[in-house]
């Protein structure tokens, strides 16, 4: 309940349960098809969240009153140590959304968490566990495993191609009865500044506005460069830092060029499209 209170998060917006192993995940998800086990064995620990039919362990408050629950095995050694400590005290999982105010830009450093939640944390005597800067930068790929084929509910660093090559199945385009998941609202990941999506050939030269894109983009001199990434991995890992930096500088507009292509480019485009709404 305090997670929802701290973030200002609607209680019907489900949380992701973090556990330390695939076997632990089976305590939360009742049915694991063989292809989902293949995914978990390859990408766990890592930035992959699986959404399956819930067991009795997953309460309505965790799932947003849905019949499915989202579960992930994180790779970070600090997260793994924390989960192991909890398990030694018979705590079977930890709900862990991004540590920011709901709808705001996700944090990638402990300083970002402090900026968003310090007042609440101090009031309740809570602590920030600093594991250093986020390596991937974007939230996990979320995959629905309740059907015959995998369905991507949120794109991330683990791509459609990764999923298809691992499972031998085509990712389904089925849009019927998809459960609600973290980061799926039309407007999300938003800084105070207005995020405006532009093409590479149509970047305005506007003094006092910010720029986010790849270093192959021709950047007008008047723009403040927040991120000029050499590759997609750097674009992803630096995106949220750049959006927050724009707010720190007091910019009112940020122009962003969406990267072309599938995979990580699609995940970056997804986050920027939501930030611009």
């Amino acid at each position: 309940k305090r997670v929802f209170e701290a973030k200002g998060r609607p209680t019907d917006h489900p949380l992701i349960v973090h556990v330390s192993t695939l076997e632990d995940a089976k305590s939360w998800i009742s049915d694991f098809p063989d292809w989902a086990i293949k995914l978990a064995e390859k990408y766990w620990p890592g930035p992959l969240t699986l959404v399956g039919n819930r067991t009795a362990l997953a309460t309505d408050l965790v799932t947003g009153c849905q019949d499915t629950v989202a579960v992930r095995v994180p790779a970070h050694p600090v997260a793994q140590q924390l989960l192991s400590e909890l398990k030694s005290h018979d705590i079977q999982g930890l709900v862990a959304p991004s540590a920011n105010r709901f709808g705001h830009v996700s944090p990638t450093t402990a300083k970002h968490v402090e900026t968003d939640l310090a007042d609440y944390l101090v009031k309740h005597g809570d602590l920030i566990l600093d594991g250093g800067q986020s390596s991937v930068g974007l939230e996990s790929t979320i995959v629905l495993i309740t059907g015959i084929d995998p369905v991507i509910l949120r794109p991330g660093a683990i791509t459609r191609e990764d999923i298809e090559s691992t499972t031998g199945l085509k990712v389904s385009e089925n849009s019927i009865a998809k459960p609600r998941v973290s980061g799926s609202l039309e407007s999300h990941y938003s800084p105070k500044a207005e995020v405006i999506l532009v093409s590479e050939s149509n970047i305005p030269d506007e003094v006092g506005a910010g720029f986010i894109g790849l270093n192959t983009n021709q950047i007008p001199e008047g723009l403040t460069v927040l991120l000029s990434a050499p590759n997609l991995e750097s674009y992803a890992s630096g995106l949220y830092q750049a959006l927050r930096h724009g707010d720190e500088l007091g910019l009112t507009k940020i122009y962003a060029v969406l990267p072309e292509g599938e995979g990580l480019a699609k995940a970056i485009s997804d986050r920027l499209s939501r930030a611009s709404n």
Side-chain angles (χ1 to χ4, degrees):
K1 288 181 179 179
R2 288 222 289 116
V3 167
F4 291 100
E5 185 180 290
K7 287 176 61 69
R9 182 186 182 106
T11 54
D12 66 349
H13 205 58
L15 298 167
I16 297 175
V17 177
H18 290 65
V19 296
S20 56
T21 68
L22 170 57
E23 288 307 308
D24 293 333
K26 291 177 181 178
S27 297
W28 293 86
I29 294 176
S30 60
D31 305 302
F32 262 91
D34 289 342
W35 60 262
I37 291 176
K38 289 180 182 178
L39 270 183
E41 288 176 340
K42 181 162 185 179
Y43 294 109
W44 276 353
L48 172 71
T49 296
L50 299 180
V51 176
N53 293 318
R54 77 188 207 183
T55 67
L57 200 57
T59 64
D60 282 347
L61 194 59
V62 171
T63 68
C65 295
Q66 299 180 111
D67 294 329
T68 54
V69 63
V71 182
R72 184 162 94 86
V73 176
H76 198 289
V78 174
Q80 277 288 337
Q81 184 180 350
L82 174 61
L83 290 166
S84 295
E85 286 286 328
L86 293 173
K87 192 159 63 169
S88 71
H89 293 280
D90 296 324
I91 296 171
Q92 299 181 62
L94 183 71
V95 290
S98 55
N100 60 315
R101 293 294 294 173
F102 182 72
H104 191 215
V105 181
S106 296
T108 54
T109 68
K111 183 65 177 177
H112 296 162
V113 179
E114 184 179 354
T115 298
D116 272 22
L117 300 180
D119 290 347
Y120 183 90
L121 299 179
V122 169
K123 177 181 176 183
H124 291 275
D126 296 326
L127 303 176
I128 296 174
L129 186 60
D130 188 352
Q133 183 162 344
S134 170
S135 56
V136 176
L138 297 183
E139 296 80 5
S140 59
T141 303
I142 300 180
V143 178
L144 182 65
I145 66 169
T146 57
I148 297 173
D149 300 312
V151 178
I152 296 177
L153 300 179
R154 181 178 71 185
I158 295 170
T159 66
R160 171 189 294 266
E161 293 80 7
D162 294 331
I163 295 165
E164 290 181 344
S165 65
T166 302
T167 63
L169 299 170
K170 285 288 185 184
V171 170
S172 175
E173 300 295 336
N174 179 21
S175 60
I176 300 173
K178 286 185 178 179
R180 296 185 307 279
V181 294
S182 296
S184 60
L185 297 181
E186 187 174 337
S187 179
H188 215 67
Y189 315 111
S190 301
K192 295 175 184 175
E194 179 185 8
V195 177
I196 302 170
L197 307 181
V198 295
S199 65
E200 184 176 4
S201 61
N202 191 32
I203 305 172
D205 187 357
E206 186 174 333
V207 175
F211 169 82
I212 290 175
L214 291 165
N215 63 4
T216 53
N217 303 139
Q218 296 298 315
I219 308 169
E221 292 183 2
L223 294 182
T224 299
V225 178
L226 301 173
L227 178 64
S228 179
N231 51 48
L232 290 175
E233 289 74 19
S234 296
Y235 200 151
S237 64
L239 175 58
Y240 292 149
Q241 178 92 21
L243 290 172
R244 285 176 174 270
H245 188 44
D247 282 349
E248 291 168 2
L249 295 176
L251 303 181
T252 57
K253 293 181 183 177
I254 297 174
Y255 292 104
V257 179
L258 299 181
E260 297 181 356
E262 294 294 315
L264 196 53
K266 191 167 185 178
I268 295 167
S269 296
D270 172 78
R271 305 309 192 272
L272 280 171
S273 296
R274 296 179 195 277
S276 68
N277 286 328

